[in-house]
Amino acid sequence: MVTAQQSYKISFYPSTVTIEAARGAGGDHLVIDRNSGSIKVVSTADSAAAFAAAPQRTMSAHGIMGIVNLLRGPYLVLITGREVAGTIGTSTVYRVAETRVVKAAADSRIVSGIDAFDESNYLRLLHKALSVNSFCFSYDFDLTSSLERQQQKRQDTPACMVTASLYRTANDEFFFNKYLSEPLIEAVGSGSNAGVFVLPVIHGFFECKPVSIKGTSFNYVLVTRRGRKRQGTRYFSRGADEEGNVSNFAETEQIVDFAASSSKSSNPDLEGLQMSYVQIRGSIPIVWAQVINMRYVPTLKVDINASRDRFNKHMAHMIDMYNEVVAVNLVNKVKYEKPMGDAFAQLSSEFNSPQYHYTHFDFHKECSKMRWDRISILMDELAEYNTRFGYFKIKRDAKEKPLSGKPMQLQSGIIRSNCMDCLDRTNVVQSELARVVLTRQLRETGVFSSTDVIDNFPNMRSMLNNLWADNADAVSCAYSGTGALKTDFTRTGKRTKMGALQDGRNSVERYFRGNFFDGERQDSIDLLLGKYKPKAGAQPFADDLPLESKALVGTVYISLFMLVYAFFFPRGGHWFCVSNFLFVTSWVMVLALVFWTVKEKHTGELLNWPRLSHYPFQPAVLRANSAISLPLLDRLFSSSDTKTSLRNDDIKKAWPTDKKMA
């Protein structure tokens, strides 16, 4: 049986790599053939001779995230650092603090030329994807599943298989390292002991905080599980795919845990009690995209005709998972976001199911001018559903088994929130819904009186506010690359001017990340999740920039160098000298001209687009056969007929507007 402490020993021999578990493997270990890459489970007794030889080197790890095959062969992805994130009941949850990607292939397996260049880039992308501080796991608790889902699976799974092989009952949607673990799962087969080599890991957020109220103490746990089936970055992963999976899909569970060893109460009815409340978020389940174009507002594309089947599949899957669904749409009802709201409303009206409900709350309009108290309008509208759906409640009997117990009530439905990004507005709404349910839970268990509210307990209120804001930042960093907006309201309960300024800074950073950095981040996610599998000779990182684009990039570097030079060595001896002012102004104008040229003619090759997976909305690359094309100068020095032609040659002709998102 797996225990709350586990470690693995990896030994490298000339032709094999062996992996041993400190506990729970029952004498079995994994053997990787360094030449063929095959993996099998072998008994230690059957391979005593192999273990008698001294390995070339050994290393230890706290877990195996899996194996990824690159051009040189298999690489082990190891968890080499961990830190305790908290507990659920008597189970410890760890946060991944450090990972290592280690070559398992034989040293004789080499690649050269362009393949060697590609291999180094694949490894760099893997390290980039693994460098985030948002992977969590447990050795004896299925962190991929909510408490209620675990209880349902427990009834259908033999007890010996639940703890020995967590991956067998893991939720496929939130088993984030499922692709990396597939070679291990295939090797383990039906062997129950060897299941300890497969460790389900979630990506998202986990935090556990002790709470003490009126002599009663319990743990408050907040966990967000991000889905793996359609993940990516903010502008390169939108809407639903052909299977109905949506971008930025995540399940957030709030747990009130009286079963923790640190909990205490004079009320015996609270001993071993656990209460769970689950919400979900996800991109609007239609075919849509926001195509970067160097402007602050990307080009919005919506294809409602291609959306019906995907919408229906997504909502049917949500009903299958959660029984009843209330979709809360928070996008604006006017201007830029209006097409999104209209499409969502139309498809919702066509989706004929008594278990599906739809409501549209224009968050920005209702809460404009910092009237954030008006979020109560939405809470009142959702009160009937929130009360009827309830929450999961179970009483554990620690004397028998830590995870035993019979459910006292189930959560019968789910509230699905979304805005454009499913980040900022969604975070505010989810935190408010959770507070409403938490108040009801504490009143029903007698911890609160019938008139008590969370605001009566400043320490608890502060803890909740900060925890939910941290959760918002974690989800936002994973999707947009920055912290969430509007977290000042989540942390303090009111909107502040300093919070608005911080939102402005984050918005500017999101602009630069979305246009100039997120393509590579999308590649790293696609590689980690198996959306792209490396092939020899593919050359996805080849430098295919046309000459004019290289010249523009070079001009940017020269201009920046000149501006920095003018700052440290101003002409005329000081910054405000006329000659220095003219020098700086001229190079600023050059920069402005270059950026105008890129925006008008060269977004297809100079913005940061994904290289590994096809992005259907990337503009066509325009290649000039002779001179560099500078739109401003062309318009200034061309004939009237040519000027008219150039004005009509708008960038919109380069956008593949007739293409549909895969």
Side-chain angles (χ1 to χ4, degrees):
M1 176 179 175
V2 183
T3 65
Q5 294 288 333
Q6 181 64 283
S7 62
Y8 301 85
K9 179 183 178 182
I10 300 94
S11 303
F12 293 81
Y13 297 90
S15 60
T16 61
V17 175
T18 63
I19 305 175
E20 304 169 74
R23 304 172 183 83
D28 291 338
H29 63 273
L30 287 180
V31 175
I32 303 173
D33 189 298
R34 302 188 70 180
N35 293 304
S36 67
S38 63
I39 309 171
K40 60 182 178 180
V41 177
V42 178
S43 170
T44 304
D46 295 337
S47 56
F51 277 90
Q56 294 173 321
R57 62 186 175 114
T58 62
M59 59 187 305
S60 61
H62 299 296
I64 307 168
M65 285 192 71
I67 295 176
V68 60
N69 285 291
L70 302 182
L71 301 181
R72 289 192 66 180
Y75 286 79
L76 283 166
V77 182
L78 305 175
I79 299 172
T80 53
R82 69 184 181 193
E83 57 188 26
V84 175
T87 62
I88 299 180
T90 57
S91 299
T92 303
V93 176
Y94 297 93
R95 184 175 293 108
V96 176
E98 183 184 46
T99 59
R100 285 189 65 183
V101 180
V102 182
K103 181 171 68 70
D107 294 335
S108 59
R109 294 186 63 176
I110 60 174
V111 291
S112 58
I114 193 66
D115 285 344
F117 175 74
D118 289 345
E119 185 85 341
S120 65
N121 278 290
Y122 291 139
L123 289 170
R124 178 177 57 81
L125 290 175
L126 269 180
H127 287 296
K128 185 182 186 74
L130 293 167
S131 63
V132 297
N133 189 33
S134 50
F135 293 115
C136 297
F137 67 94
S138 175
Y139 296 116
D140 58 351
F141 184 87
D142 180 12
L143 205 56
T144 68
S145 300
S146 65
L147 292 182
E148 182 170 349
R149 190 179 295 114
Q150 285 190 53
Q151 190 65 26
Q152 292 170 347
K153 290 184 177 181
R154 188 170 298 279
Q155 297 172 359
D156 303 325
T157 307
C160 63
M161 301 299 292
V162 174
T163 53
S165 304
L166 286 176
Y167 78 91
R168 298 184 191 278
T169 57
N171 188 330
D172 187 66
E173 179 69 51
F174 305 115
F175 188 169
F176 206 79
N177 60 323
K178 177 69 177 292
Y179 166 70
L180 297 179
S181 297
E182 284 175 353
L184 301 176
I185 293 173
E186 183 179 352
V188 167
S190 59
S192 59
N193 288 331
V196 300
F197 294 105
V198 184
L199 183 65
V201 175
I202 69 165
H203 181 233
F205 178 81
F206 181 93
E207 200 65 67
C208 173
K209 296 292 184 181
V211 180
S212 181
I213 299 175
K214 299 180 179 180
T216 299
S217 61
F218 59 89
N219 280 354
Y220 179 86
V221 179
L222 188 62
V223 54
T224 291
R225 310 169 179 95
R226 301 185 74 233
R228 68 177 182 87
K229 295 183 178 179
R230 186 172 171 78
Q231 275 307 340
T233 59
R234 184 171 172 234
Y235 286 144
F236 296 124
S237 183
R238 292 295 206 190
D241 64 15
E242 293 179 350
E243 301 303 318
N245 303 306
V246 296
S247 302
N248 204 22
F249 180 67
E251 177 185 88
T252 298
E253 182 179 19
Q254 168 183 270
I255 301 173
V256 178
D257 189 6
F258 290 96
S261 57
S262 59
S263 301
K264 64 178 182 179
S265 174
S266 57
N267 184 353
D269 292 337
L270 296 181
E271 185 178 350
L273 187 67
Q274 289 181 320
M275 296 178 288
S276 160
Y277 174 66
V278 176
Q279 304 178 70
I280 58 174
R281 73 177 76 195
S283 187
I284 294 178
I286 62 176
V287 178
W288 67 286
Q290 285 181 289
V291 186
I292 57 174
N293 53 16
M294 271 192 71
R295 296 174 175 86
Y296 184 75
V297 179
T299 302
L300 178 64
K301 297 182 179 294
V302 181
D303 188 348
I304 192 169
N305 293 324
S307 300
R308 285 181 175 82
D309 184 56
R310 303 182 187 204
F311 181 93
N312 293 341
K313 285 182 178 179
H314 174 73
M315 289 307 174
H317 181 51
M318 293 300 98
I319 290 172
D320 182 60
M321 286 182 67
Y322 301 105
N323 188 45
E324 191 171 352
V325 177
V326 176
V328 180
N329 188 8
L330 302 171
V331 303
N332 300 344
K333 293 182 178 180
V334 296
K335 297 183 179 179
Y336 181 78
E337 297 181 4
K338 186 178 186 299
M340 299 298 300
D342 292 345
F344 201 171
Q346 180 179 334
L347 293 178
S348 292
S349 65
E350 295 174 4
F351 185 69
N352 187 20
S353 172
Q355 294 173 291
Y356 175 72
H357 316 277
Y358 173 82
T359 185
H360 191 169
F361 181 80
D362 189 335
F363 189 99
H364 285 153
K365 177 185 177 182
E366 297 295 342
C367 301
S368 63
K369 300 179 181 178
M370 297 193 177
R371 298 175 299 170
W372 288 68
D373 58 300
R374 290 175 61 81
I375 194 72
S376 60
I377 297 173
L378 179 61
M379 296 299 105
D380 292 341
E381 183 179 348
L382 298 176
E384 185 270 330
Y385 294 112
N386 219 14
T387 302
R388 179 160 59 84
F389 292 165
Y391 54 88
F392 178 70
K393 186 177 181 181
I394 190 170
K395 185 73 176 292
R396 307 292 189 187
D397 189 347
K399 295 180 180 179
E400 295 182 8
K401 294 179 181 179
L403 297 178
S404 65
K406 185 176 181 180
M408 303 170 69
Q409 66 183 60
L410 305 176
Q411 183 174 336
S412 62
I414 201 82
I415 293 180
R416 181 197 190 278
S417 305
N418 74 266
C419 46
M420 290 293 280
D421 299 327
C422 304
L423 296 177
D424 314 313
R425 289 168 279 185
T426 299
N427 292 324
V428 173
V429 170
Q430 287 199 339
S431 65
E432 289 300 300
L433 286 169
R435 287 167 66 95
V436 170
V437 173
L438 179 60
T439 300
R440 186 165 77 247
Q441 290 172 331
L442 296 180
R443 286 177 179 176
E444 291 177 358
T445 54
V447 178
F448 275 5
S449 69
S450 59
T451 58
D452 279 339
V453 294
I454 292 173
D455 287 345
N456 294 347
F457 304 91
N459 289 338
M460 182 181 183
R461 179 187 62 200
S462 176
M463 180 274 294
L464 289 173
N465 290 348
N466 285 297
L467 210 58
W468 274 94
D470 291 343
N471 174 67
D473 285 339
V475 177
S476 180
C477 284
Y479 193 49
S480 72
T482 75
L485 310 184
K486 304 176 178 66
T487 52
D488 57 324
F489 177 80
T490 311
R491 292 187 190 277
T492 65
K494 60 183 179 180
R495 199 73 166 104
T496 65
K497 292 182 179 179
M498 286 302 298
L501 288 174
Q502 178 65 24
D503 287 355
R505 191 194 73 83
N506 283 342
S507 296
V508 171
E509 184 178 349
R510 286 183 181 183
Y511 165 79
F512 281 101
R513 285 183 176 275
N515 282 274
F516 303 109
F517 298 99
D518 274 354
E520 182 173 273
R521 198 158 64 91
Q522 180 70 48
D523 286 337
S524 70
I525 296 170
D526 287 341
L527 187 61
L528 182 70
L529 296 180
K531 306 299 181 183
Y532 175 86
K533 298 177 182 178
K535 297 178 182 178
Q539 302 184 24
F541 307 103
D543 181 7
D544 56 356
L545 281 180
L547 177 61
E548 60 268 29
S549 297
K550 293 180 179 179
L552 289 169
V553 173
T555 304
V556 170
Y557 286 132
I558 293 172
S559 300
L560 292 175
F561 173 80
M562 291 299 183
L563 291 174
V564 172
Y565 182 85
F567 179 83
F568 288 103
F569 305 101
R571 300 170 72 87
H574 59 87
W575 292 340
F576 303 106
C577 178
V578 174
S579 60
N580 194 63
F581 175 79
L582 293 175
F583 182 80
V584 170
T585 301
S586 63
W587 283 108
V588 168
M589 291 178 65
V590 170
L591 266 181
L593 178 61
V594 169
F595 276 96
W596 175 275
T597 304
V598 172
K599 184 179 71 172
E600 289 291 305
K601 294 284 187 178
H602 298 281
T603 55
E605 65 267 25
L606 288 180
L607 296 188
N608 194 233
W609 305 93
R611 287 176 173 266
L612 300 187
S613 299
H614 173 62
Y615 180 67
F617 291 95
Q618 181 174 352
V621 175
L622 303 181
R623 298 178 185 272
N625 293 324
S626 54
I628 297 173
S629 176
L630 299 177
L632 279 179
L633 298 183
D634 289 344
R635 288 185 170 91
L636 284 173
F637 300 110
S638 300
S639 65
S640 58
D641 292 339
T642 306
K643 288 179 182 179
T644 302
S645 175
L646 287 167
R647 281 195 295 269
N648 292 333
D649 187 22
D650 193 88
I651 191 173
K652 291 182 179 178
K653 292 184 179 180
W655 299 110
T657 54
D658 57 334
K659 293 185 179 180
K660 297 180 180 179
M661 178 172 283

